[in-house]
Amino acid sequence: MLRNVAAKTLFDQRRALLGWTLSLALLIAMYVAIWPSMRGQPSMSEFLNQMPEAMRSLFATTGADMSTPVGYLQVELLSFMGPLVLLLYTVTAGAGAVAGEEDRRTMDLLLASPVSRTRVVLHKLLAMSVGALVLGGVGVLALVGEGALADMGLPLGNVTAAMLHMALLALVFGALALAVGGVTGHGTLSRAVPAVVAVVAYVVNGLAPIVSWLEPVQKLSPFYQYVGHDPLRHGVSWPSVGVAVATVVVLAAVAVWGFRRRDVHA
């Protein structure tokens, strides 16, 4: 199994990944359980409309109607808490892929086996991608299955699209953590840089509709590629999928380049 770094990584992460999947399923169950008390409440939409414009732009999808299941999930789950869970998983996995191995002094043992540095990075990325897609799949099953119990009537295709875009969003920041770890070998930096970039990207995407000087850079935010076309209403946006995949590929190339050119911490 040591020759297959991706399988070994997934095996090592099995308990953590199980914990993340249970956390996501329970988070969705909590929001679904609250839905019956929110159903058909026009006062919630009025509450959103009365919020300061900046707060509404940051934490509520434009035009979301919380009296409907789709609008409720857009505001309560898909705008912040759902992405946060997946980002925590991928950034942790990306930071642990190279920098974490060096911090634990296990990278030299890994490289002593007949695997190249390029293969190590790509297999670590593959393991992280599988984990993110597993979380996205659990999100689909939880939303559709648990939502049916609360008579939310969520469309399977659009829910799948929303979770696919969420998984890709998380992979972008996980790949950034992997790239920082590959270039520097520092675990703290590989966790801190994606966290700071994620906050900036979230604020840029959220405030761009009301701050004119942010509008030209909004489409550079991974959060725009995630939610800009409203996947829970309109399904998959293949251009946004292409941008996210291309970003991951570029960051993976940076990780390989950085990891191959420097000495490994022993």
Side-chain angles (χ1 to χ4, degrees):
M1 179 171 287
L2 188 59
R3 287 177 179 272
N4 191 323
V5 179
K8 176 69 165 57
T9 302
L10 284 171
F11 180 78
D12 293 340
Q13 293 179 356
R14 63 192 185 284
R15 292 187 179 86
L17 187 56
L18 177 62
W20 286 111
T21 56
L22 289 175
S23 298
L24 181 62
L26 290 173
L27 179 69
I28 292 173
M30 180 189 74
Y31 284 118
V32 169
I34 295 173
W35 164 246
S37 64
M38 308 287 289
R39 188 199 315 264
Q41 293 288 336
S43 59
M44 293 308 302
S45 296
E46 294 173 5
F47 170 73
L48 281 180
N49 292 331
Q50 291 172 0
M51 289 174 66
E53 189 176 8
M55 294 291 291
R56 189 169 65 248
S57 184
L58 275 175
F59 298 108
T61 304
T62 303
D65 180 2
M66 284 192 67
S67 64
T68 67
V70 169
Y72 168 73
L73 290 173
Q74 284 176 327
V75 174
E76 295 291 346
L77 179 68
L78 301 181
S79 64
F80 187 75
M81 288 303 295
L84 179 62
V85 172
L86 267 70
L87 259 70
L88 286 173
Y89 164 73
T90 55
V91 170
T92 301
V98 174
E101 294 274 8
E102 293 186 59
D103 285 346
R104 295 190 296 272
R105 300 292 190 266
T106 54
M107 183 57 82
D108 53 347
L109 179 62
L110 179 59
L111 294 178
S113 59
V115 292
S116 66
R117 293 192 181 200
T118 299
R119 188 175 176 184
V120 168
V121 171
L122 295 181
H123 276 225
K124 293 282 188 179
L125 176 63
L126 175 61
M128 181 172 64
S129 302
V130 170
L133 291 175
V134 167
L135 285 174
V138 168
V140 172
L141 294 175
L143 277 170
V144 174
E146 296 170 4
L149 298 177
D151 197 23
M152 298 184 84
L154 298 171
L156 175 61
N158 288 2
V159 169
T160 303
M163 295 309 298
L164 171 64
H165 282 285
M166 189 186 294
L168 289 172
L169 169 73
L171 275 177
V172 167
F173 289 100
L176 178 59
L178 179 64
V180 175
V183 172
T184 68
H186 290 288
T188 301
L189 269 180
S190 61
R191 289 186 292 272
V193 171
V196 172
V197 173
V199 171
V200 173
Y202 183 87
V203 171
V204 167
N205 181 62
L207 294 184
I210 60 173
V211 180
S212 59
W213 60 270
L214 288 177
E215 188 176 353
V217 297
Q218 182 185 20
K219 292 185 179 179
L220 298 177
S221 169
F223 284 92
Y224 179 84
Q225 305 303 331
Y226 158 53
V227 77
H229 67 285
D230 198 353
L232 196 54
R233 292 183 185 276
H234 305 300
V236 174
S237 167
W238 294 111
S240 295
V241 170
V243 171
V245 171
T247 304
V248 171
V249 170
V250 170
L251 290 171
V254 171
V256 169
W257 171 79
F259 189 40
R260 291 184 60 177
R261 64 183 291 273
R262 66 175 176 81
D263 293 331
V264 172
H265 299 161

